[in-house]
Amino acid sequence: MSDLRELYQEVIFDHNRHPRNFGKLVNANRHSEGFNPLCGDSLDLYLIVDNNRIIDIKFEGQGCAISTASASLMTEVLKGKTLQEAEQLFEGFHQMVTTGETPSIDLGKLSVLAGVSEFPARVKCASLSWHTLNAALHNSTQPVTTE
Amino acid sequence: MFNVAQIRGQFPILKSSVRGKPLVYLDNAATTQKPQCVIDAESNYYDVLNANVHRGVHKLSQDATDAFEKARDTIQHFIGAAHREEIIFTRGATEAINLVASSWGRANLKPGDEILLSQMEHHANIVPWQLIAEQTGAKIKVIPMDDTGTLDLTQFEALLSSKTKMLGITQVSNALGTVNPVQYMIEKAHQVGALVLVDGAQSILHQTVNVTELDCDFFVFSGHKLYGPTGIGVLYGKKALLNAMPPYQAGGDMIFKVTFEKSTFNHLPYKFEAGTPHIAGAIALGTAIEFVQSIGLKDIAHHEAELLDYAAQQARSIPQLRVIGQAKDKVSVFSFVMDGVHPHDIGTILDSEGVAIRTGHHCAMPVMDYFKIPATARASLALYNTKEDIDALFVALHRVTEMFLK
Ligand SMILES: Cc1ncc(COP(=O)(O)O)c(C=O)c1O
């Protein structure tokens, strides 16, 4: 039960009910789609990248509380970051949700998702937005899937 | 007398706990648990009977062959097939459908021919037909359903024509629980000269099936959804049709004579059983069927129907809960969504209470598309479930509403 509370923290409910940076970015210069075939979650990520920096970022899609909150938190944290910083956050986040270890880099509010590591079936939900980001930054045209 | 406590006692896994709570297993449409007699039958084969079948003059091989062939007889009688050689062992329902689509389809379908499927088919009864349609130029037509999850029979009849060569229809929908009027549909399809494949994966454990009375041309099911092992299933086909079909896979056991110039094929059922089969699985499937017969499908159906009604009543205590699939004739499946909560989150919270259900699209994406939802949460019943299981489900669901919808 304590694990469940760890997973579903108030912040996660908040971001699930009121996702930040939700919608299309019309003048985006990077875009990528993510898909979790297991649960039908899908996500569209839009970015404006200029001079190696994420100027703006938004997402659209439908998913569970974990995937929606994770995408919402990700967009909040990434706005204004350089691509190198984004890369480091991606690696740190990945380490946290897959191993449960605290990464060397400070993940800020992303750490509310640390509880996911206790629920292996949900790691994909938390990572979908980050894998989609990775694809957008590497200009991949293939939709990302978690499978 | 149907005694659920006594039945539960035969399923070792039902004594286990999950996350510190007693296991409440409500994911039976995905796979059922196995009674001790099935587990014993499988291990007994390896303990005392292990030898290849149809290949040895030695005693052990003869005994293994006898046990394997006895399982075929058990299955034949269980589904009312006229001939034992109409029972082909496969890996499961999926392989059985692929066998028919590939072998019968390649030999018989031409451009312009139509394969009629329903909107509520499992992907296993869609994708094999799509592949063969692409290869042969045949077209797929879809029988629509309404928002209770009932097939539109008027549309069905309108879709039937002399172009229809195959009707692929599930007897019970795994995503909705709908029981389709297959008897009637088979009769109508036959009137235009089409063959019918009935997917019995979800019906075989809930109701008596008699393929001769149904007059279906093919019938498929999986052992693991019938209290038997994984990796074994059955294709029933009418003898004349199977005889006329080319082999599906080739290798040992399915030949009479091989030279590098030409091989001649074995007779039924071996023509379709290339290679060493899942001998232990087939024997244990026979045991699973004997287990079901000893309890009786009539009593099982009655017990499960009571539980399904009970779940439907309980559901009224949660206003945010919407049942997906409200057909008049329905078995085992309680599929639902909750406003404001994604099914995946429901699944995790239920799991933390020891309640195992399935969440997702249930390999029936066209059903999800129809209802414009990404997924459902699905509890599905088997003979060992109890009112207490349903109560545990609803205690956990109330916990979901507390956490998400307060
Ligand atoms: C209606 C239906 N058909 C076919 C299948 C495929 O069965 P298997 O995966 O055992 O081959 C399933 C399994 O979920 C099913 O529910």
Side-chain angles (χ1 to χ4, degrees):
Chain A
M1 194 49 63
S2 62
D3 282 354
L4 199 60
R5 280 281 167 213
E6 282 284 299
L7 179 66
Y8 290 108
Q9 300 200 21
E10 256 334 295
V11 184
I12 291 183
F13 284 127
D14 177 37
H15 279 260
N16 179 41
R17 284 188 201 114
H18 314 287
R20 321 295 198 265
N21 303 307
F22 193 84
K24 248 196 191 77
L25 255 184
V26 270
N27 44 354
N29 55 11
R30 305 283 174 92
H31 168 237
S32 182
E33 288 174 67
F35 188 56
N36 183 342
L38 211 64
C39 49
D41 287 0
S42 64
L43 184 96
D44 271 274
L45 192 65
Y46 305 91
L47 294 105
I48 298 175
V49 177
D50 186 32
N51 202 9
N52 226 21
R53 198 173 281 281
I54 298 171
I55 307 296
D56 205 355
I57 176 167
K58 281 192 170 194
F59 81 103
E60 264 185 335
Q62 56 176 352
C64 62
I66 303 299
S67 90
T68 305
S70 178
S72 170
L73 285 158
M74 181 185 85
T75 57
E76 271 201 329
V77 167
L78 286 183
K79 212 181 274 190
K81 294 279 192 302
T82 66
L83 298 187
Q84 288 70 19
E85 286 166 335
E87 198 84 38
Q88 285 166 355
L89 285 165
F90 172 77
E91 277 163 26
F93 183 81
H94 192 69
Q95 187 189 352
M96 176 181 80
V97 295
T98 53
T99 67
E101 290 160 22
T102 317
S104 48
I105 175 175
D106 178 15
L107 290 176
K109 55 174 81 164
L110 298 175
S111 352
V112 296
L113 283 158
V116 169
S117 68
E118 294 295 320
F119 294 83
R122 306 305 299 276
V123 170
K124 284 172 180 172
C125 310
S127 335
L128 178 63
S129 54
W130 288 89
H131 287 299
T132 311
L133 170 79
N134 212 25
L137 294 184
H138 293 100
N139 277 325
S140 165
T141 49
Q142 282 291 323
V144 180
T145 90
T146 53
E147 292 307 295
Chain B
M1 243 291 283
F2 188 87
N3 179 339
V4 75
Q6 197 255 331
I7 290 168
R8 289 179 70 82
Q10 300 184 52
F11 287 79
I13 210 168
L14 297 179
K15 299 183 186 80
S16 61
S17 42
V18 168
R19 300 187 189 275
K21 302 273 169 74
L23 170 66
V24 174
Y25 188 76
L26 292 170
D27 193 14
N28 294 290
T31 196
T32 54
Q33 300 302 345
K34 323 302 172 202
Q36 190 65 52
C37 59
V38 167
I39 301 167
D40 288 348
E42 179 134 0
S43 73
N44 180 64
Y45 165 75
Y46 293 113
D47 277 347
V48 302
L49 219 53
N50 180 48
N52 212 326
V53 289
H54 309 128
R55 292 182 192 183
V57 291
H58 59 83
K59 172 83 166 74
L60 213 47
S61 173
Q62 193 51 55
D63 288 351
T65 304
D66 290 348
F68 180 73
E69 291 301 332
K70 179 172 161 274
R72 198 186 307 274
D73 295 334
T74 305
I75 294 162
Q76 180 205 342
H77 296 125
F78 182 57
I79 63 170
H83 309 282
R84 66 186 314 279
E85 61 270 33
E86 295 178 319
I87 306 298
I88 315 283
F89 283 114
T90 65
R91 284 194 296 128
T94 301
E95 189 178 52
I97 297 168
N98 274 279
L99 191 163
V100 177
S102 178
S103 165
W104 175 87
R106 213 177 311 232
N108 292 285
L109 290 171
K110 306 179 303 298
D113 285 349
E114 292 177 0
I115 302 162
L116 191 52
L117 305 174
S118 87
Q119 172 107 32
M120 64 177 84
E121 295 311 305
H122 187 280
H123 295 167
N125 204 21
I126 301 175
V127 187
W129 298 114
Q130 277 174 336
L131 291 182
I132 204 68
E134 265 167 35
Q135 288 166 28
T136 59
K139 275 210 217 62
I140 305 232
K141 296 276 169 170
V142 184
I143 310 162
M145 61 182 179
D146 66 19
D147 52 19
T148 66
T150 307
L151 288 182
D152 181 337
L153 292 181
T154 312
Q155 285 290 331
F156 161 65
E157 284 175 42
L159 283 163
L160 283 173
S161 76
S162 59
K163 288 193 220 153
T164 316
K165 292 295 179 291
M166 174 64 78
L167 165 66
I169 181 76
T170 195
Q171 194 164 17
V172 169
S173 155
N174 70 313
L176 303 166
T178 309
V179 181
N180 289 317
V182 292
Q183 177 102 54
Y184 175 79
M185 296 175 82
I186 292 164
E187 204 184 304
K188 287 286 167 195
H190 282 169
Q191 283 170 8
V192 298
L195 299 185
V196 183
L197 179 145
V198 175
D199 178 352
Q202 297 293 343
S203 58
I204 194 78
L205 73 165
H206 302 302
Q207 66 186 77
T208 307
V209 168
N210 186 305
V211 292
T212 307
E213 276 170 24
L214 282 178
D215 196 29
C216 55
D217 302 285
F218 302 101
F219 185 91
V220 306
F221 66 94
S222 292
H224 70 99
K225 294 184 200 280
L226 182 61
Y227 313 103
T230 58
I232 189 79
V234 170
L235 166 65
Y236 157 84
K238 283 184 184 162
K239 193 170 161 181
L241 292 168
L242 292 174
N243 267 327
M245 280 157 54
Y248 172 56
Q249 291 182 340
D253 264 351
M254 55 77 70
I255 39 76
F256 264 140
K257 184 161 188 250
V258 176
T259 67
F260 279 104
E261 286 69 45
K262 185 162 175 56
S263 302
T264 51
F265 303 123
N266 206 339
H267 53 72
L268 291 175
Y270 311 109
K271 181 171 96 178
F272 290 109
E273 292 181 354
T276 302
H278 183 10
I279 306 166
I283 294 171
L285 173 56
T287 307
I289 289 173
E290 284 162 5
F291 165 80
V292 167
Q293 286 172 323
S294 74
I295 296 165
L297 273 164
K298 234 177 127 186
D299 285 353
I300 294 172
H302 182 74
H303 171 72
E304 291 171 348
E306 270 183 5
L307 290 181
L308 193 60
D309 276 352
Y310 184 62
Q313 281 167 30
Q314 297 288 305
R316 297 198 196 108
S317 65
I318 304 178
Q320 298 87 355
L321 188 152
R322 178 156 64 100
V323 178
I324 302 294
Q326 311 224 42
K328 274 209 194 75
D329 200 0
K330 181 178 157 170
V331 287
S332 167
V333 172
F334 181 70
S335 212
F336 61 95
V337 292
M338 282 168 84
D339 295 334
V341 198
H342 190 282
H344 223 165
D345 295 309
I346 298 175
T348 294
I349 296 168
L350 264 52
D351 179 54
S352 76
E353 300 279 331
V355 179
I357 61 154
R358 167 90 188 261
T359 63
H361 52 61
H362 318 294
C363 298
M365 281 184 170
V367 173
M368 302 299 120
D369 288 347
Y370 175 83
F371 288 101
K372 299 194 171 54
I373 48 179
T376 76
R378 178 190 72 187
S380 51
L381 305 169
L383 61 83
Y384 40 66
N385 287 121
T386 59
K387 275 195 167 162
E388 289 72 39
D389 290 342
I390 307 293
D391 289 338
L393 168 68
F394 280 91
V395 166
L397 285 175
H398 280 290
R399 195 162 157 72
V400 173
T401 57
E402 268 163 43
M403 282 183 75
F404 270 78
L405 305 167
K406 58 178 182 280

